[in-house]
Amino acid sequence: MSKKSILAAVFLIFIGIIFGVVLVSNFRLGVEQGFAGDPQAKLGAPSQIKDPNYDYKALSKSFIEVSKAVSPTVVAVVVTSKAKSRSSDINEFFHFFSPDGKMPQPEPQQGAGSGVIISQDGYILTNNHVVEDADAGIEVILNNKHRAKAKIIGTDPSTDLAVIRVEGSDLPTAAFGNSDKLEIGEWVLAIGNPLGLQGTVTAGIVSAIGRRIGLIQDSKGYGIENFIQTDAAINPGNSGGPLVNMNGEVVGINSAIATTNARYQGYGFAIPINLARAVAEDIIKSGKVRRGFIGVNITTVDETMAKAIGLEKAGGVQVQTLEKGGAAEAAGIKEMDVILTVDDQDVNEPNQLQSYVARKHPGDDVTLKIFRDGKVFEKKVTLRARKEENLVASNKDDNQPESSESEVESSSKAVAYDNLGLSVKKMTSQERKEADVDKGIIVAESKTYSEAFNHGVQTGDIILEADRKEIYSPKDFDSIIKSHKPGDAILLRVKQKGTVVFLAIQIPK
């Protein structure tokens, strides 16, 4: 071997030894620092919260205590209905067939919801929609897995509430809170049996109060809604279960969700317990609800309406029509009155007044604070029982003269007010007869999203009065419009789909 080859081999061996030493050194360093095979390795870091008074379990303890206290009072309600044709439940064009090719016989249907025990002797509060199809039986599953048959004591479709009962004594009973004292942002828990998962607890806050969502309707088209809105997860099966505050008190009965996929999307609604308790007490005492009524049709008062009637600021609810022979009429309430408070409680939405009065009985008195013609005063109203007949206001006035304008001319021409998005024309004698009025002009068009449209004026409405003056022709209306300057609000009395209402429009600036 040449001298050069020997030197090259020695050099390579030397380099290899050096490289090996470096690798071993690095490996040992990694072991010493805990990166490989070190049983003493320490992961993570101590808490960075240094406050000695901080109790990281405090909030959790509250949730735990409330869950322990209330869960035993919550039950699953299993409802069985009689056999129904599947085709009506699925699709009239498709049917399920049995293996032999024959149509299967209709089978009983079963659904489940929740309920809360409200007395030691077995009364349970739940939703009407949970038990309304229970024509083949109701079974209740208690928190301890005990099963019992239940019977319906009474239902109230107007509030979507029902009371059922099981035989028992010394049953765990829920505590009632005061839903009138709830505040937006307050922590609440929803407890129930969503999607068949018994004894589920979810947490959230009160995200709104006094919600009306247009969901509840009884056979007469009457529904009482003043929902508590919460973002606590509520799903099918939660219906009838309690919404509870952090003192372990029931403040609502979970009833509905706002969703596009029939599952939780962040918006749940509960019936306030103050209303639910009054309904339950009536049902337990008499098997039905004895509810008092004022006998008014009311709407909210917006800024434009407030300006039109001389009210300092938007607030209260305005009386649109009165039930003939009703409590309000007997007490001297008039159309266009604004109800500001009931028993010293502010009223700014129709359902606030409605749900408060719904807790009362015929013969009970309520005190209303009224705004009328620039004055504020009080009226005591003795509530009466509800009249079932539909109310249609009459606008006849046989002493008023006909306008001198020709019917042909008025019926063929419409007067347009582009700034209002409104056009009107005189009514023909046939139109007046069909509408059961002998004055007024008809709205030929109310353009979508215009000033008139946004304040409730609809195509086909009949304007009976403007600025508290009776209207017989477009000329009458035109003179009133031209007498006002931009920014002024004008009060209208309108017959809309058979009902007389008050609306207000503002002359755009």
Side-chain angles (χ1 to χ4, degrees):
M1 181 180 292
S2 67
K3 186 176 181 179
K4 288 183 177 181
S5 298
I6 294 172
L7 288 173
V10 171
F11 179 76
L12 290 173
I13 292 170
F14 176 76
I15 293 298
I17 291 171
I18 295 299
F19 186 66
V21 169
V22 171
L23 286 176
V24 170
S25 298
N26 285 340
F27 175 74
R28 285 185 175 177
L29 179 63
V31 170
E32 290 172 0
Q33 292 181 347
F35 293 134
D38 185 357
Q40 304 299 319
K42 296 180 180 180
L43 304 179
S47 171
Q48 301 303 305
I49 298 176
K50 305 302 182 183
D51 184 353
N53 297 317
Y54 175 73
D55 183 359
Y56 74 94
K57 289 187 177 181
L59 183 59
S60 294
K61 286 178 180 177
S62 298
F63 289 145
I64 292 168
E65 290 303 314
V66 172
S67 299
K68 285 181 178 179
V70 182
S71 291
T73 72
V74 182
V75 302
V77 180
V78 181
V79 173
T80 305
S81 58
K82 293 179 180 177
K84 297 177 181 178
S85 172
R86 287 188 177 185
S87 60
S88 64
D89 293 333
I90 304 169
N91 191 304
E92 63 178 323
F93 301 109
F94 298 94
H95 306 279
F96 286 114
F97 288 87
S98 59
D100 61 4
K102 297 180 181 180
M103 283 288 293
Q105 295 299 310
E107 298 178 354
Q109 304 295 311
Q110 196 170 73
S114 303
V116 58
I117 302 171
I118 57 173
S119 74
Q120 292 184 332
D121 54 351
Y123 287 106
I124 296 168
L125 186 58
T126 185
N127 285 141
N128 174 67
H129 78 258
V130 170
V131 300
E132 62 183 344
D133 293 327
D135 48 15
I138 302 174
E139 185 178 51
V140 167
I141 306 173
L142 276 65
N143 182 257
N144 63 5
K145 309 304 180 185
H146 174 70
R147 293 173 176 261
K149 297 295 182 182
K151 64 178 181 179
I152 296 176
I153 302 302
T155 62
D156 182 31
S158 295
T159 56
D160 190 33
L161 291 166
V163 176
I164 61 177
R165 189 180 187 184
V166 296
E167 293 297 328
S169 60
D170 296 324
L171 296 177
T173 304
F176 290 125
N178 183 354
S179 53
D180 288 344
K181 299 297 184 181
L182 272 181
E183 296 186 85
I184 296 172
E186 186 172 338
W187 276 105
V188 285
L189 301 183
I191 307 179
N193 309 288
L195 308 175
L197 302 172
Q198 188 171 355
T200 296
V201 180
T202 56
I205 62 169
V206 174
S207 51
I209 54 177
R211 287 291 196 214
R212 177 171 176 80
I213 58 177
L215 181 66
I216 299 177
Q217 294 291 331
D218 64 10
S219 60
K220 301 296 181 180
Y222 180 82
I224 299 169
E225 295 185 356
N226 193 33
F227 287 120
I228 303 162
Q229 182 180 315
T230 178
D231 64 352
I234 294 175
N235 277 293
N238 270 116
S239 291
L243 186 72
V244 300
N245 63 19
M246 296 309 291
N247 198 37
E249 300 165 330
V250 179
V251 292
I253 299 297
N254 298 318
S255 184
I257 56 176
T259 178
T260 58
N261 63 6
R263 294 294 184 269
Y264 170 75
Q265 288 184 314
Y267 303 96
F269 302 93
I271 301 162
I273 196 61
N274 288 10
L275 174 59
R277 182 176 187 171
V279 169
E281 288 173 347
D282 265 6
I283 289 175
I284 291 169
K285 289 177 181 177
S286 59
K288 62 181 181 180
V289 179
R290 296 173 52 252
R291 180 169 291 129
F293 289 86
I294 291 182
V296 290
N297 176 26
I298 53 179
T299 59
T300 55
V301 177
D302 63 14
E303 187 177 19
T304 302
M305 177 61 76
K307 183 184 291 187
I309 61 178
L311 189 60
E312 183 178 344
K313 61 180 181 178
V317 292
Q318 187 179 52
V319 177
Q320 299 286 320
T321 57
L322 296 163
E323 176 185 308
K324 190 171 180 60
E329 184 183 64
I333 306 298
K334 296 182 178 181
E335 291 180 353
M336 217 168 67
D337 282 354
V338 176
I339 300 172
L340 301 173
T341 68
V342 55
D343 291 342
D344 294 324
Q345 294 190 24
D346 289 342
V347 175
N348 293 307
E349 295 291 340
N351 59 326
Q352 289 180 308
L353 178 64
Q354 185 185 42
S355 63
Y356 180 85
V357 173
R359 308 177 205 169
K360 305 292 184 178
H361 300 113
D364 289 347
D365 291 332
V366 295
T367 300
L368 305 180
K369 183 180 289 185
I370 304 292
F371 171 85
R372 179 193 299 167
D373 297 330
K375 298 178 181 179
V376 176
F377 54 91
E378 290 187 346
K379 286 279 189 182
K380 182 175 287 188
V381 180
T382 301
L383 303 179
R384 298 185 178 184
R386 175 183 175 188
K387 289 189 175 181
E388 299 297 340
E389 63 269 17
N390 292 325
L391 303 177
V392 179
S394 173
N395 299 292
K396 289 187 176 181
D397 186 348
D398 297 332
N399 297 321
Q400 295 301 330
E402 291 289 333
S403 170
S404 60
E405 294 182 23
S406 70
E407 291 285 340
V408 175
E409 180 183 358
S410 62
S411 63
S412 61
K413 295 182 179 179
V415 180
Y417 300 90
D418 293 335
N419 59 343
L420 295 173
L422 180 71
S423 61
V424 298
K425 65 179 183 179
K426 188 177 179 181
M427 302 177 70
T428 65
S429 57
Q430 182 62 31
E431 286 172 334
R432 287 184 175 179
K433 183 177 180 180
E434 290 175 354
D436 194 22
V437 299
D438 59 4
K439 59 177 174 285
I441 56 175
I442 194 166
V443 176
E445 183 183 19
S446 178
K447 293 182 179 179
T448 305
Y449 305 131
S450 65
E451 168 68 20
F453 179 91
N454 289 338
H455 284 91
V457 180
Q458 302 175 15
T459 300
D461 285 355
I462 300 168
I463 300 175
L464 302 169
E465 295 178 8
D467 207 16
R468 310 193 192 206
K469 299 179 180 65
E470 293 180 336
I471 301 297
Y472 294 92
S473 70
K475 184 178 180 181
D476 296 338
F477 185 71
D478 186 70
S479 65
I480 291 173
I481 294 294
K482 289 180 178 178
S483 69
H484 287 79
K485 62 183 184 296
D488 286 352
I490 301 173
L491 181 69
L492 303 179
R493 189 167 182 259
V494 175
K495 190 164 188 179
Q496 190 174 82
K497 297 179 180 178
T499 301
V500 176
V501 298
F502 291 96
L503 305 173
I505 57 176
Q506 183 168 290
I507 307 296
K509 295 181 179 180

